[in-house]
Amino acid sequence: MSNYPDRGLHGHLVREVGRRIISGEFPPAATIEIDRLEREYDVSLTVVREAMRVLAAKGLVDARPKRGTFVRPRTDWSLLDPDVLQWQFEGADNDAFLANLAEVRLIVEPQGARLAAARRTEADLDALEAALASVTAETTTETVIDADLAFHRALLAATHNELLVRMEHIIEIGLRTRDLIVHAQGHRDDFLPPHRAVLDAVRAADGDRAEQAMRALLEQAARDERQLRP
């Protein structure tokens, strides 16, 4: 038996089984043998049951008398759950998933920029400015990625719409994927101008220009990723 606390074991088991479901190793309708998981991961029945409760809350599994625990259809999965999003991103064949994320960003973020232009406060503008100010000629790839994430989070926050703010989990996964491909290959000079265009439009309270600037930023990001993706 591992020396890690039950909470650590439970979290590890949730991730492992969740990833196996998302990857199709445990396909929809497949039975998950609880005793087999106990042996395979060397954990207690309590740990397995708690992990199954977490996965059930995410819509991935269910349990029925005489049938046991089984994988639910993909249509039942909580696809916007942060963990489920992350497990899809980590899948070996995630091109379709990332394409879906790019489409969602193109729908959400330009309208988000328009709302931000109408509702932003001075604190919002300061947060957007701070994200861009952290990028210099000597900035590392990781710092550029962190700045990009901070900027897009701050833009969603500037909409002052609670539901849009929660979209940051979706935005972050698609954004980090793109940034790892693009900025790691030296395309940092392209970072500031399109982001500055969005910020200037938001600062000017120009919703049309903010929407157009964000759309242009996302379209350029998609072109860069297509050109550089292995």
Side-chain angles (χ1 to χ4, degrees):
M1 188 63 154
S2 169
N3 290 323
Y4 291 111
D6 278 355
R7 173 172 266 179
L9 287 171
H10 142 258
H12 175 71
L13 190 58
V14 168
R15 288 191 298 273
E16 287 296 306
V17 177
R19 288 167 177 164
R20 293 171 76 174
I21 292 171
I22 297 297
S23 71
E25 182 180 347
F26 293 154
T31 298
I32 296 180
E33 300 176 19
I34 301 300
D35 56 348
R36 178 179 173 184
L37 292 180
E38 288 183 71
R39 295 191 301 271
E40 184 176 350
Y41 291 98
D42 191 20
V43 294
S44 68
L45 177 59
T46 299
V47 169
V48 177
R49 284 177 172 168
E50 180 59 29
M52 292 304 104
R53 277 195 287 270
V54 173
L55 293 172
K58 298 176 185 297
L60 297 182
V61 302
D62 201 353
R64 292 285 186 273
K66 299 184 180 179
R67 182 175 178 182
T69 301
F70 59 93
V71 179
R72 296 174 68 177
R74 184 180 175 89
T75 52
D76 292 344
W77 297 356
S78 299
L79 293 175
L80 299 184
D81 177 273
D83 289 332
V84 176
L85 282 169
Q86 185 65 33
W87 297 333
Q88 291 179 87
F89 164 64
E90 292 170 353
D93 184 18
N94 62 8
D95 286 351
F97 169 67
L98 293 175
N100 286 340
L101 278 180
E103 289 179 354
V104 170
R105 291 190 64 197
L106 197 56
I107 293 168
V108 170
E109 291 196 83
Q111 289 300 316
R114 175 182 285 276
L115 275 180
R119 299 175 177 177
R120 88 291 185 276
T121 65
E122 286 302 317
D124 293 324
L125 294 174
D126 289 345
L128 289 163
E129 189 68 58
L132 299 188
S134 66
V135 177
T136 66
E138 294 76 30
T139 296
T140 65
T141 296
E142 192 58 38
T143 300
V144 174
I145 293 173
D146 288 344
D148 206 5
L149 292 171
F151 182 87
H152 288 268
R153 285 196 203 101
L155 190 70
L156 289 177
T159 68
H160 296 275
N161 180 305
E162 290 182 334
L163 298 181
L164 278 177
V165 171
R166 297 299 177 89
M167 297 291 286
E168 70 177 22
H169 300 297
I170 300 175
I171 304 302
E172 179 171 348
I173 290 176
L175 189 58
R176 184 174 290 278
T177 303
R178 181 262 174 187
D179 284 354
L180 285 170
I181 293 170
V182 175
H183 296 310
Q185 299 190 43
H187 284 243
R188 299 175 198 167
D189 293 342
D190 296 339
F191 174 79
L192 283 175
H195 287 79
R196 177 62 65 184
V198 174
L199 174 52
D200 289 346
V202 170
R203 188 185 300 279
D206 188 333
D208 288 342
R209 186 154 60 96
E211 180 181 345
Q212 292 166 4
M214 178 55 74
R215 190 174 301 279
L217 186 159
L218 294 176
E219 289 172 348
Q220 181 60 54
R223 286 193 295 271
D224 290 344
E225 184 178 342
R226 284 195 298 269
Q227 291 171 4
L228 296 172
R229 180 179 285 277

